Amino acid sequence: MESEIANATLKALRRVLQATEGGSRKLAAATGLTPSQMLVLREVDAHAEVTPGAIARKLQFSQATITAVVDRLVALDLAARTRSDRDKRQILLSTTAEGRRRVAGAPDMLQGVFTERFGALPPWEQAMILASTERLAALLGAGEMDAAPLLDSGAIDRAGATDIA
């Protein structure tokens, strides 16, 4: 016999997944980018020049993921790589004019909305939501999965994502 609480929880989880998918579609329609690509592009745009390692640490992405995302952004002419004048071994990232245009025209990302609203909650409620969400992940067998703090329903870098240029 199915529990009413279990069904209500599954419905709430499905609404979260639908919101995530809708946010990804809205972003792709407006910019041609995935949420992970836009997060990286926004972080690069926030600095005059920044290293891929600094972006990886800030966004809590692996170095391999940042490399793949940056490869895609460079291929789309949204970001550029240059060697540092001070240390030729160091690669610096910057946004192109088109990259800045896409960042400026992008809708609010779902994780930004979440972070703002979550931050307004009292600490006890934040802790309760975190504990419940971690428990839910464990119940679904995903408790030990490595995941970046990103609301996206697909692979973190979908090179074949909708490209509108």
Side-chain angles (χ1 to χ4, degrees):
M1 182 167 141
E2 292 182 4
S3 159
E4 284 186 40
I5 294 174
N7 284 337
T9 303
L10 288 170
K11 285 175 67 175
L13 181 57
R14 181 65 190 145
R15 287 192 302 270
V16 169
L17 294 171
Q18 287 173 331
T20 301
E21 291 167 4
S24 294
R25 283 192 306 271
K26 182 179 175 185
L27 182 66
T31 66
L33 300 174
T34 66
S36 57
Q37 291 166 347
M38 181 53 72
L39 276 178
V40 171
L41 188 61
R42 280 186 172 166
E43 193 59 33
V44 171
D45 191 51
H47 303 86
E49 293 178 322
V50 64
T51 64
I55 298 290
R57 284 187 300 279
K58 170 77 175 170
L59 297 179
Q60 299 176 29
F61 286 5
S62 71
Q63 188 69 43
T65 297
I66 290 298
T67 298
V69 172
V70 169
D71 285 348
R72 184 71 178 147
L73 295 173
V74 169
L76 293 170
D77 195 32
L78 303 176
R81 287 184 178 105
T82 56
R83 292 216 178 266
S84 169
D85 290 335
R86 290 182 294 165
D87 183 349
K88 297 295 183 192
R89 297 170 297 176
Q90 194 173 50
I91 300 296
L92 301 174
L93 304 172
S94 59
T95 50
T96 63
E98 177 61 17
R100 288 187 294 278
R101 186 188 70 75
R102 293 223 195 157
V103 166
D108 287 340
M109 293 182 62
L110 195 56
Q111 48 266 33
V113 172
F114 171 82
T115 300
E116 181 180 317
R117 291 177 182 170
F118 187 79
L121 297 174
W124 70 266
E125 195 169 2
Q126 291 180 15
M128 183 183 69
I129 291 170
L130 172 60
S132 298
T133 308
E134 286 179 339
R135 183 71 170 135
L136 181 59
L139 288 172
L140 295 173
E144 299 302 317
M145 286 184 179
D146 185 29
L150 173 70
L151 290 172
D152 192 4
S153 58
I156 200 163
D157 180 46
R158 297 185 305 278
T162 308
D163 289 327
I164 57 170

